[in-house]
Amino acid sequence: MKSVSVEPVGIKDVAQAAGVSPATVSRAFGRGPISPELRAKVEAAARAIGYRPNLSARRLRSQDTRTIGLMVADIRNPFFTAVSRAVEDIAYAQGMRVILCNTDEDPDREAFYMQAMQEERVTGLIFAPTRITLEAMEQGFALDLPTVLVDRASPRCGHDAVMIDNRRAAALLVDHLASQGFTRIAGLFGAASTTGVERQAGYAAALKARGLPDLSRLVSPSAAAAEAALPELWREARPDAVITSNSLLALGLLKALRVQALRVPDDIALATFDDEPWTSLVDPGLTALAQPVDQIGQEAMRLLADRIRNPRAETRIVLLPGRLVERASSRRTSN
Amino acid sequence: MKSVSVEPVGIKDVAQAAGVSPATVSRAFGRGPISPELRAKVEAAARAIGYRPNLSARRLRSQDTRTIGLMVADIRNPFFTAVSRAVEDIAYAQGMRVILCNTDEDPDREAFYMQAMQEERVTGLIFAPTRITLEAMEQGFALDLPTVLVDRASPRCGHDAVMIDNRRAAALLVDHLASQGFTRIAGLFGAASTTGVERQAGYAAALKARGLPDLSRLVSPSAAAAEAALPELWREARPDAVITSNSLLALGLLKALRVQALRVPDDIALATFDDEPWTSLVDPGLTALAQPVDQIGQEAMRLLADRIRNPRAETRIVLLPGRLVERASSRRTSN
DNA sequence: AAGCGATGTGAAAACGATTTCACATGCCGT
DNA sequence: ACGGCATGTGAAATCGTTTTCACATCGCTT
């Protein structure tokens, strides 16, 4: 049904078949001044002999890889999954390729992948750095390629960034819970990223403004860590509500609550960052702070394009709003 | 903190700095016969002037991209997310890069990406094709690069493949439900992939063996489709149990059940393919057929490596076992 | 002591495209 | 009718490596 051309067919073969020079073939495919007739002839010849441009060669010569690196903690985290998908859609639509890296919140792996991205000569990088690496950036460590940070950043890190306003979002959750009448609002925040720390800060500030106690813990950002942290939290802090800084922590927390036979929201109310499909399906539905994941990916690509176009423009940090989705897990019950 | 070398430093610069020939530098980095002393000298020089190999050049010359293409329907489907992660882990461990493509179950996009993968000259391809494309493969359409199919395949498609034994797995779910006493077991299967069709076939066979009616529907593989399909299914078929062929369908179905105020498992029992973190958190817990996602990714990489090593070996299809995770959603209640 | 294979090295070709440069052509205004 | 300018084309250089090839050196065997 389809004959396979084993011998490599290059631009020269097309040139010969079309009766033009290799340069003309190149121009027919790329952007070069070329007459419509020749372009048609070249395209016909290329189709006839089954020519496919060799991207390695193109990239080497043009010094433009049209590839962007995407470094996230773990693609299995639904937040990053969604952002990645948005980024890829735009990238492919622009004829760009995406190389995905999972850092597992490990600075060593980050360093390794940053190296790899340099060797790839990626056109740009979209990166969700760990706290460690972000701090290094604040100290002056700069990536020498167009970079946009997502989900995590700080004003003096020297790079563009997109994320939600974490402090505000955390305050939103606290205010919501407080307005429901909860007074002992605990928090489980991820320790590996500034995101967790920022959210904790926003949480703390909002509590303080209301004269409520800070009952937060920084934990490793995994379901297992949240699950393990609950018993101690419950015993020591006796919260009537808990905020988790991402959906993995919410997952672990729910499991632990089940084990302890604590009822939501009667014994303990819940609210979490990240709205996943399943948050509306658990009983009670989970109150969540939804992040505009698609928009984050899109905005990151836009910032990156700007940065590539103008490498020495002033850096920008785009703060997108989170949206509070109220569900039963944070509803005050009469008791 | 870190000085940025703007001028490109190449192998020649290293050669000069180390007092050797470019060829020697190349050998020091790649695998070539080289004396330990020179290698050390080269490495020192490279580090000193901050040399980073240019992968485009390397790939062009060596005709080996050390890159594999990964084409799946949608990375946001947790099954593919998990498989992708497993694939990438192995790939990077072997010094390979992965290019990810989302086909959205669209044959046109598949064709487009296959083109792109050819232009990348990928070393190999891991691919979850739509039913349409798989049928084309059965008709003789063959990819002329080492390819391993995942999740979807057929014996005569001409490629290696890894997946669970879908017929057996479906039968497992049916048998489980039947043994609980359910007799009107409906099914919602994805229409875009052979996986859905295969599972439907296994389901139908298992039902037939027990003399039970086939109450299945093929639907578009999305939560929305499942949600939309339920009312008609309930009205027409009056099932006492439903099987869904993936977690997205389960999600949609659960939502629809909630809307209709149907109780699980009292009014209708549930069992689904794919075990996600949240399946144990909904109430009642969802009985699921867990796929060995990590193992699937690993096995795919192994098959691919073999295929690359030996392009004309006989094709193999690896069937991995699924594991039934029983939870309350399929428990027979007294009524 | 001559011959031989194994080993390490450098010079130069090659990978497949893009880009520079030179040049031919046609069109315009004067 | 001529100079100038825009436009389209081809020859050749180039991108940064790896790989071939030739060759020098060394240690062995005979």
Side-chain angles (χ1 to χ4, degrees):
Chain A
M1 185 173 184
K2 184 199 175 192
S3 145
V4 170
S5 60
V6 178
E7 20 253 308
V9 24
I11 210 171
K12 289 180 188 164
D13 305 293
V14 179
Q16 191 161 15
V20 300
S21 75
T24 300
V25 177
S26 171
R27 287 192 267 255
F29 279 85
R31 62 196 136 86
I34 191 175
S35 62
E37 307 88 66
L38 275 198
R39 153 164 290 151
K41 198 147 66 162
V42 167
E43 276 170 358
R47 200 176 354 263
I49 66 177
Y51 167 72
R52 286 297 118 209
N54 181 320
L55 292 185
S56 296
R58 192 207 288 277
R59 287 175 179 139
L60 170 59
R61 175 60 237 225
S62 69
Q63 300 291 70
D64 180 5
T65 57
R66 297 190 71 72
T67 297
I68 75 157
L70 177 56
M71 295 173 50
V72 299
D74 187 347
I75 185 70
R76 285 172 300 193
N77 179 331
F79 170 76
F80 289 125
T81 315
V83 172
S84 301
R85 178 63 213 257
V87 166
E88 294 204 326
D89 280 351
I90 296 184
Y92 275 100
Q94 297 179 352
M96 298 244 172
R97 219 113 295 176
V98 175
I99 296 183
L100 179 67
C101 309
N102 298 103
T103 66
D104 282 333
E105 306 280 19
D106 175 352
D108 291 340
R109 291 188 66 154
E110 288 185 330
F112 170 80
Y113 284 125
M114 284 169 49
Q115 201 81 279
M117 293 306 100
Q118 311 251 66
E119 300 185 356
E120 291 281 357
R121 304 292 193 270
V122 293
T123 310
L125 187 64
I126 295 182
F127 182 22
T130 57
R131 198 159 46 79
I132 306 285
T133 297
L134 189 58
E135 277 164 8
M137 289 173 168
E138 286 165 0
Q139 302 302 316
F141 166 87
L143 291 154
D144 56 347
L145 83 177
T147 299
V148 173
L149 269 23
V150 289
D151 187 49
R152 306 136 182 222
S154 65
R156 341 209 120 288
C157 67
H159 291 291
D160 300 311
V162 197
M163 47 190 187
I164 62 166
D165 186 336
N166 284 309
R167 293 181 128 90
R168 243 184 77 63
L172 225 57
L173 286 176
V174 168
D175 289 345
H176 167 65
L177 288 169
S179 75
Q180 293 284 315
F182 298 103
T183 55
R184 299 191 58 77
I185 304 172
L188 252 31
F189 299 94
S193 65
T194 51
T195 299
V197 177
E198 288 269 309
R199 290 173 184 175
Q200 185 182 38
Y203 152 98
L207 284 178
K208 190 167 185 186
R210 295 174 171 268
L212 297 176
D214 181 335
L215 305 175
S216 65
R217 305 277 190 280
L218 274 178
V219 299
S220 165
S222 69
E227 197 171 350
L230 176 73
E232 185 270 348
L233 182 69
W234 176 251
R235 205 171 48 238
E236 306 293 326
R238 283 285 153 179
D240 56 9
V242 186
I243 290 172
T244 47
S245 83
N246 66 50
S247 63
L248 277 70
L249 296 177
L251 217 46
L253 184 61
L254 275 173
K255 283 206 175 133
L257 292 176
R258 181 148 315 181
V259 170
Q260 304 251 329
L262 291 170
R263 291 163 310 161
V264 178
D266 307 73
D267 297 324
I268 193 165
L270 254 44
T272 186
F273 277 83
D274 290 349
D275 192 26
E276 304 303 331
W278 58 265
T279 49
S280 67
L281 289 180
V282 295
D283 191 32
L286 222 52
T287 291
L289 196 122
Q291 298 195 62
V293 286
D294 287 340
Q295 211 183 329
I296 289 174
Q298 289 158 12
E299 193 62 36
M301 281 301 283
R302 177 171 22 234
L303 285 183
L304 189 55
D306 288 353
R307 173 61 50 198
I308 290 166
R309 209 173 302 122
N310 186 354
R312 19 199 100 273
E314 204 152 344
T315 63
R316 292 180 289 173
I317 294 189
V318 174
L319 289 184
L320 267 21
R323 186 171 48 84
L324 180 69
V325 182
E326 294 184 33
R327 299 202 181 89
S329 72
S330 61
R331 208 109 68 206
R332 183 62 167 177
T333 55
S334 47
N335 71 0
Chain B
M1 185 172 183
K2 183 201 176 191
S3 143
V4 169
S5 58
V6 178
E7 19 253 309
V9 24
I11 212 170
K12 289 180 189 164
D13 305 292
V14 179
Q16 191 161 16
V20 298
S21 76
T24 301
V25 177
S26 171
R27 286 191 268 255
F29 279 86
R31 62 197 137 84
I34 190 174
S35 63
E37 308 88 66
L38 276 197
R39 151 163 290 149
K41 199 147 65 163
V42 168
E43 276 170 359
R47 203 177 351 264
I49 66 177
Y51 166 72
R52 285 298 118 208
N54 181 320
L55 292 186
S56 295
R58 194 206 287 278
R59 287 176 179 139
L60 170 59
R61 177 58 237 222
S62 69
Q63 300 290 74
D64 181 5
T65 58
R66 298 191 70 75
T67 298
I68 74 155
L70 177 57
M71 295 173 50
V72 299
D74 187 346
I75 184 71
R76 285 173 299 193
N77 179 331
F79 170 76
F80 289 124
T81 314
V83 171
S84 301
R85 178 63 213 259
V87 166
E88 294 204 325
D89 280 350
I90 296 184
Y92 275 100
Q94 298 179 353
M96 298 243 170
R97 219 112 295 175
V98 175
I99 296 183
L100 180 67
C101 310
N102 298 102
T103 66
D104 282 332
E105 307 280 18
D106 176 352
D108 290 340
R109 291 188 66 153
E110 289 185 329
F112 171 79
Y113 283 126
M114 284 169 48
Q115 201 81 278
M117 294 304 100
Q118 312 252 66
E119 300 186 356
E120 292 281 357
R121 304 292 194 269
V122 292
T123 309
L125 188 64
I126 294 181
F127 182 22
T130 56
R131 199 158 44 78
I132 306 285
T133 296
L134 189 58
E135 277 165 8
M137 288 173 168
E138 287 165 359
Q139 303 301 317
F141 168 86
L143 291 155
D144 56 347
L145 84 175
T147 300
V148 172
L149 270 24
V150 288
D151 187 48
R152 305 136 182 221
S154 65
R156 340 209 119 288
C157 68
H159 291 293
D160 300 310
V162 197
M163 48 190 187
I164 61 166
D165 185 335
N166 283 309
R167 294 181 126 90
R168 243 184 77 63
L172 224 57
L173 287 176
V174 168
D175 289 345
H176 167 67
L177 288 169
S179 74
Q180 293 284 314
F182 298 103
T183 55
R184 298 190 59 77
I185 304 172
L188 252 32
F189 299 94
S193 65
T194 51
T195 299
V197 177
E198 290 268 309
R199 290 173 184 176
Q200 185 183 37
Y203 152 97
L207 285 177
K208 188 165 185 188
R210 295 174 170 268
L212 297 176
D214 181 334
L215 306 174
S216 66
R217 305 278 191 278
L218 274 178
V219 300
S220 165
S222 70
E227 197 171 350
L230 175 73
E232 187 269 349
L233 182 69
W234 176 250
R235 205 171 48 239
E236 308 291 326
R238 283 285 155 177
D240 56 9
V242 186
I243 291 171
T244 48
S245 82
N246 66 50
S247 63
L248 278 72
L249 295 177
L251 217 47
L253 184 62
L254 275 172
K255 282 203 177 134
L257 291 175
R258 180 148 314 180
V259 170
Q260 304 252 330
L262 291 171
R263 292 162 309 162
V264 178
D266 308 73
D267 296 324
I268 193 166
L270 253 44
T272 186
F273 276 83
D274 291 348
D275 193 26
E276 305 302 330
W278 58 266
T279 50
S280 67
L281 289 181
V282 294
D283 190 31
L286 223 52
T287 292
L289 195 121
Q291 297 195 61
V293 286
D294 287 340
Q295 210 183 330
I296 289 174
Q298 289 158 12
E299 192 63 36
M301 281 300 283
R302 177 171 21 232
L303 286 183
L304 189 55
D306 287 353
R307 173 62 49 197
I308 290 165
R309 210 173 300 122
N310 186 356
R312 19 199 100 274
E314 204 152 345
T315 63
R316 291 180 289 171
I317 296 189
V318 175
L319 290 185
L320 266 22
R323 187 171 48 84
L324 180 69
V325 182
E326 295 184 32
R327 298 202 182 88
S329 72
S330 60
R331 208 110 68 205
R332 184 60 167 178
T333 55
S334 48
N335 73 359

Coordinates of all heavy atoms in Angstrom, one line a residue, chain B residues 87-142:
Chain B
V87 N 7.8 5.8 30.3 CA 8.7 5.8 29.0 C 9.8 6.9 29.1 O 10.9 6.6 28.8 CB 7.8 6.1 27.8 CG1 8.7 6.5 26.6 CG2 6.9 5.0 27.5
E88 N 9.4 8.1 29.6 CA 10.4 9.1 29.7 C 11.6 8.8 30.7 O 12.7 9.0 30.4 CB 9.8 10.4 30.1 CG 8.8 10.9 29.0 CD 8.7 12.4 29.2 OE1 8.7 12.9 30.3 OE2 8.5 13.0 28.1
D89 N 11.2 8.2 31.8 CA 12.2 7.8 32.8 C 13.2 6.9 32.2 O 14.4 7.1 32.3 CB 11.5 7.1 34.0 CG 10.9 8.1 34.9 OD1 11.1 9.3 34.7 OD2 10.2 7.7 35.8
I90 N 12.8 5.9 31.5 CA 13.7 5.0 30.8 C 14.5 5.6 29.7 O 15.7 5.5 29.6 CB 12.9 3.8 30.3 CG1 12.3 3.0 31.5 CG2 13.9 2.8 29.5 CD1 11.6 1.7 31.1
A91 N 13.8 6.4 28.9 CA 14.5 7.1 27.8 C 15.6 7.9 28.3 O 16.7 7.8 27.8 CB 13.5 7.9 27.0
Y92 N 15.3 8.8 29.3 CA 16.4 9.7 29.8 C 17.5 8.9 30.4 O 18.7 9.3 30.3 CB 15.8 10.7 30.7 CG 15.2 11.9 30.0 CD1 13.9 12.1 29.8 CD2 16.1 12.9 29.5 CE1 13.4 13.2 29.1 CE2 15.6 14.0 28.8 CZ 14.2 14.1 28.6 OH 13.7 15.2 27.9
A93 N 17.2 7.8 31.1 CA 18.2 7.0 31.7 C 19.1 6.4 30.7 O 20.3 6.2 30.9 CB 17.6 5.9 32.5
Q94 N 18.6 6.3 29.5 CA 19.4 5.7 28.4 C 20.0 6.9 27.5 O 20.6 6.6 26.4 CB 18.6 4.8 27.5 CG 18.1 3.6 28.3 CD 17.2 2.7 27.4 OE1 16.9 3.0 26.2 NE2 16.9 1.5 27.9
G95 N 19.9 8.1 28.0 CA 20.4 9.2 27.2 C 19.6 9.5 25.9 O 20.0 10.1 25.0
M96 N 18.3 9.1 26.0 CA 17.4 9.3 24.8 C 16.5 10.5 25.2 O 16.1 10.7 26.4 CB 16.6 8.1 24.5 CG 17.4 6.9 24.1 SD 17.0 6.5 22.4 CE 18.2 5.3 22.1
R97 N 16.0 11.1 24.2 CA 15.0 12.2 24.4 C 13.7 11.7 23.9 O 13.6 10.8 23.1 CB 15.4 13.4 23.6 CG 15.2 14.7 24.3 CD 16.5 15.4 24.7 NE 17.3 14.7 25.6 CZ 18.5 15.0 26.0 NH1 19.1 16.1 25.5 NH2 19.2 14.3 26.9
V98 N 12.6 12.3 24.4 CA 11.3 11.9 24.0 C 10.5 13.1 23.5 O 10.5 14.2 24.1 CB 10.5 11.4 25.2 CG1 9.0 11.1 24.8 CG2 11.1 10.1 25.8
I99 N 9.9 12.9 22.4 CA 9.0 14.0 21.8 C 7.6 13.5 21.9 O 7.2 12.4 21.4 CB 9.3 14.3 20.3 CG1 10.7 14.8 20.2 CG2 8.3 15.2 19.8 CD1 11.1 15.2 18.8
L100 N 6.8 14.3 22.6 CA 5.4 13.9 22.9 C 4.4 14.5 22.0 O 4.5 15.7 21.7 CB 5.1 14.3 24.3 CG 3.7 13.9 24.8 CD1 3.5 12.4 24.9 CD2 3.4 14.6 26.2
C101 N 3.5 13.7 21.5 CA 2.4 14.3 20.6 C 1.1 13.8 21.1 O 0.9 12.7 21.4 CB 2.6 13.8 19.2 SG 4.3 14.0 18.5
N102 N 0.1 14.8 21.1 CA -1.3 14.5 21.4 C -2.1 14.4 20.2 O -2.3 15.4 19.5 CB -1.8 15.5 22.3 CG -1.1 15.6 23.6 OD1 -0.3 16.5 23.8 ND2 -1.4 14.7 24.5
T103 N -2.6 13.2 19.9 CA -3.4 13.1 18.6 C -4.8 13.4 18.7 O -5.5 13.6 17.7 CB -3.2 11.7 18.0 OG1 -3.9 10.8 18.9 CG2 -1.8 11.3 17.9
D104 N -5.3 13.4 20.0 CA -6.8 13.7 20.2 C -7.6 12.7 19.4 O -8.7 13.1 19.0 CB -7.1 15.1 19.8 CG -6.7 16.1 20.9 OD1 -6.6 15.7 22.0 OD2 -6.4 17.3 20.5
E105 N -7.2 11.5 19.2 CA -7.9 10.4 18.5 C -8.3 10.9 17.1 O -9.4 10.5 16.6 CB -9.2 10.1 19.3 CG -9.0 9.7 20.8 CD -8.5 8.2 20.9 OE1 -8.0 7.6 20.0 OE2 -8.5 7.7 22.1
D106 N -7.5 11.7 16.5 CA -7.8 12.3 15.2 C -6.8 11.7 14.2 O -5.7 12.1 14.2 CB -7.8 13.8 15.3 CG -8.0 14.5 13.9 OD1 -8.0 13.7 12.9 OD2 -8.1 15.7 13.9
P107 N -7.3 10.9 13.2 CA -6.4 10.3 12.2 C -5.6 11.4 11.5 O -4.5 11.1 11.1 CB -7.4 9.6 11.3 CG -8.5 9.2 12.2 CD -8.7 10.4 13.1
D108 N -6.2 12.5 11.2 CA -5.5 13.6 10.5 C -4.3 14.0 11.3 O -3.2 14.2 10.8 CB -6.4 14.7 10.2 CG -7.4 14.4 9.1 OD1 -7.2 13.4 8.4 OD2 -8.4 15.1 9.0
R109 N -4.5 14.3 12.6 CA -3.4 14.7 13.4 C -2.4 13.6 13.5 O -1.2 13.8 13.5 CB -3.9 15.0 14.8 CG -4.7 16.3 14.8 CD -5.0 16.8 16.2 NE -3.8 17.2 17.0 CZ -3.8 18.1 17.9 NH1 -4.9 18.7 18.3 NH2 -2.7 18.4 18.5
E110 N -2.8 12.3 13.5 CA -1.9 11.2 13.6 C -1.0 11.3 12.3 O 0.3 11.2 12.4 CB -2.6 9.9 13.6 CG -3.3 9.6 14.9 CD -3.9 8.3 15.0 OE1 -4.4 7.7 13.9 OE2 -4.0 7.7 16.1
A111 N -1.6 11.5 11.2 CA -0.8 11.6 10.0 C 0.2 12.7 10.0 O 1.4 12.6 9.7 CB -1.7 11.7 8.8
F112 N -0.3 13.8 10.5 CA 0.6 15.0 10.6 C 1.8 14.7 11.5 O 2.9 15.0 11.1 CB -0.2 16.2 11.2 CG 0.6 17.4 11.5 CD1 1.1 18.2 10.5 CD2 1.0 17.6 12.8 CE1 1.8 19.3 10.9 CE2 1.8 18.7 13.2 CZ 2.2 19.5 12.2
Y113 N 1.5 14.1 12.6 CA 2.6 13.9 13.6 C 3.6 12.8 13.0 O 4.8 12.8 13.3 CB 2.1 13.5 14.9 CG 1.6 14.7 15.7 CD1 0.3 14.7 16.2 CD2 2.4 15.8 15.9 CE1 -0.2 15.8 17.0 CE2 1.9 16.9 16.6 CZ 0.6 16.9 17.2 OH 0.2 17.9 17.9
M114 N 3.0 11.8 12.3 CA 3.9 10.8 11.8 C 4.8 11.4 10.8 O 6.0 11.1 10.8 CB 3.0 9.7 11.1 CG 2.4 8.8 12.1 SD 1.1 7.7 11.4 CE 2.0 7.0 10.0
Q115 N 4.3 12.3 10.0 CA 5.2 13.1 9.1 C 6.3 13.8 9.9 O 7.5 13.7 9.6 CB 4.3 14.2 8.5 CG 4.8 14.8 7.2 CD 4.6 13.8 6.1 OE1 5.3 12.9 5.9 NE2 3.5 14.1 5.3
A116 N 5.9 14.5 11.0 CA 6.8 15.2 11.8 C 7.9 14.3 12.4 O 9.1 14.7 12.4 CB 6.1 16.0 12.9
M117 N 7.4 13.1 12.8 CA 8.4 12.2 13.4 C 9.4 11.8 12.4 O 10.6 11.5 12.7 CB 7.7 11.0 14.0 CG 6.8 11.3 15.2 SD 7.6 12.2 16.6 CE 7.2 13.9 16.3
Q118 N 9.0 11.6 11.1 CA 9.9 11.3 10.1 C 10.9 12.4 9.9 O 12.1 12.1 9.7 CB 9.2 11.1 8.8 CG 8.0 10.2 8.8 CD 8.2 8.9 8.1 OE1 9.0 8.1 8.6 NE2 7.5 8.7 7.1
E119 N 10.5 13.6 9.9 CA 11.4 14.7 9.7 C 12.4 14.8 10.9 O 13.5 15.3 10.7 CB 10.6 16.0 9.5 CG 9.6 15.9 8.4 CD 8.9 17.2 8.1 OE1 9.1 18.2 8.8 OE2 8.2 17.3 7.0
E120 N 11.9 14.4 12.0 CA 12.8 14.4 13.2 C 13.8 13.3 13.1 O 14.8 13.3 13.8 CB 12.0 14.3 14.5 CG 11.2 15.5 14.9 CD 12.0 16.6 15.5 OE1 13.2 16.4 15.7 OE2 11.4 17.6 15.8
R121 N 13.5 12.4 12.2 CA 14.4 11.2 12.1 C 14.5 10.5 13.4 O 15.6 10.1 13.9 CB 15.8 11.5 11.6 CG 15.8 12.2 10.2 CD 15.3 11.4 9.1 NE 15.7 12.0 7.8 CZ 14.9 12.8 7.1 NH1 13.7 13.2 7.6 NH2 15.3 13.3 5.9
V122 N 13.3 10.3 14.1 CA 13.4 9.7 15.4 C 13.9 8.3 15.3 O 13.7 7.6 14.3 CB 11.9 9.7 16.1 CG1 11.5 11.0 16.4 CG2 11.0 9.0 15.2
T123 N 14.6 7.9 16.3 CA 15.1 6.5 16.4 C 14.0 5.5 16.5 O 14.2 4.4 15.9 CB 16.1 6.4 17.6 OG1 17.0 7.5 17.6 CG2 16.8 5.1 17.5
G124 N 13.0 5.8 17.1 CA 11.9 4.9 17.3 C 10.6 5.6 17.7 O 10.6 6.8 18.0
L125 N 9.5 4.9 17.6 CA 8.2 5.5 17.9 C 7.4 4.6 18.8 O 7.3 3.4 18.6 CB 7.5 5.7 16.5 CG 6.2 6.5 16.5 CD1 6.4 7.9 17.0 CD2 5.5 6.4 15.2
I126 N 6.8 5.2 19.8 CA 5.8 4.5 20.6 C 4.4 5.2 20.3 O 4.3 6.4 20.5 CB 6.2 4.6 22.1 CG1 7.5 3.8 22.3 CG2 5.1 4.0 22.9 CD1 7.9 3.7 23.7
F127 N 3.5 4.4 20.0 CA 2.3 5.0 19.4 C 1.0 4.2 19.8 O 1.0 3.0 19.8 CB 2.5 4.8 17.9 CG 1.4 5.4 17.0 CD1 0.5 6.4 17.5 CD2 1.2 5.0 15.7 CE1 -0.5 6.9 16.7 CE2 0.2 5.5 14.9 CZ -0.6 6.5 15.4
A128 N 0.0 5.0 20.2 CA -1.3 4.5 20.5 C -2.3 4.9 19.4 O -2.8 6.0 19.5 CB -1.8 5.0 21.9
P129 N -2.4 4.2 18.4 CA -3.1 4.6 17.2 C -4.7 4.6 17.4 O -5.2 3.8 18.2 CB -2.7 3.6 16.1 CG -2.5 2.4 16.9 CD -1.9 2.8 18.2
T130 N -5.4 5.4 16.6 CA -6.8 5.3 16.6 C -7.2 4.0 15.8 O -6.4 3.4 15.2 CB -7.4 6.4 15.8 OG1 -6.9 6.5 14.5 CG2 -7.2 7.7 16.5
R131 N -8.4 3.7 15.9 CA -8.9 2.5 15.2 C -8.7 2.6 13.7 O -8.3 1.7 13.1 CB -10.4 2.3 15.6 CG -11.0 1.0 15.3 CD -12.3 0.7 16.1 NE -13.1 1.9 16.1 CZ -13.9 2.2 15.1 NH1 -14.0 1.4 14.0 NH2 -14.7 3.2 15.1
I132 N -9.0 3.8 13.2 CA -8.8 4.1 11.8 C -7.4 3.7 11.3 O -7.2 3.0 10.4 CB -9.1 5.5 11.5 CG1 -10.5 5.9 12.0 CG2 -9.0 5.8 10.0 CD1 -11.7 5.4 11.3
T133 N -6.5 4.3 12.0 CA -5.1 4.1 11.6 C -4.6 2.7 11.8 O -3.9 2.1 10.9 CB -4.2 5.1 12.4 OG1 -4.5 6.4 12.0 CG2 -2.7 4.8 12.0
L134 N -5.1 2.1 12.8 CA -4.7 0.7 13.0 C -5.3 -0.2 11.9 O -4.6 -1.1 11.4 CB -5.3 0.2 14.4 CG -4.8 -1.2 14.9 CD1 -3.3 -1.2 15.0 CD2 -5.4 -1.5 16.2
E135 N -6.5 0.1 11.5 CA -7.1 -0.6 10.4 C -6.3 -0.4 9.1 O -6.0 -1.4 8.4 CB -8.5 -0.2 10.2 CG -9.5 -0.9 11.1 CD -10.9 -0.3 11.1 OE1 -11.1 0.7 10.3 OE2 -11.7 -0.7 12.0
A136 N -5.8 0.8 8.9 CA -5.0 1.0 7.7 C -3.7 0.2 7.8 O -3.2 -0.4 6.8 CB -4.6 2.5 7.7
M137 N -3.2 0.0 9.1 CA -2.0 -0.8 9.2 C -2.3 -2.2 8.9 O -1.4 -2.9 8.3 CB -1.5 -0.7 10.7 CG -0.9 0.7 11.0 SD -0.5 0.8 12.8 CE 0.5 2.3 12.8
E138 N -3.4 -2.7 9.3 CA -3.8 -4.1 8.9 C -3.9 -4.2 7.4 O -3.6 -5.3 6.9 CB -5.1 -4.4 9.6 CG -5.0 -4.6 11.1 CD -6.4 -4.6 11.8 OE1 -7.4 -4.4 11.1 OE2 -6.4 -4.7 13.0
Q139 N -4.3 -3.2 6.7 CA -4.4 -3.2 5.3 C -3.0 -3.2 4.6 O -2.9 -3.2 3.4 CB -5.2 -2.1 4.8 CG -6.6 -2.1 5.3 CD -7.4 -3.3 5.1 OE1 -7.3 -3.9 4.0 NE2 -8.1 -3.8 6.1
G140 N -1.9 -3.0 5.4 CA -0.6 -3.0 4.8 C 0.2 -1.7 5.0 O 1.3 -1.6 4.7
F141 N -0.5 -0.7 5.4 CA 0.2 0.6 5.7 C 1.2 0.4 6.8 O 0.8 0.0 7.9 CB -0.8 1.6 6.0 CG -0.3 2.9 6.6 CD1 0.2 3.9 5.7 CD2 -0.1 3.0 8.0 CE1 0.7 5.1 6.3 CE2 0.4 4.2 8.5 CZ 0.9 5.2 7.6
A142 N 2.4 0.6 6.5 CA 3.4 0.3 7.5 C 4.3 1.5 7.7 O 4.7 2.3 6.8 CB 4.3 -0.9 7.2

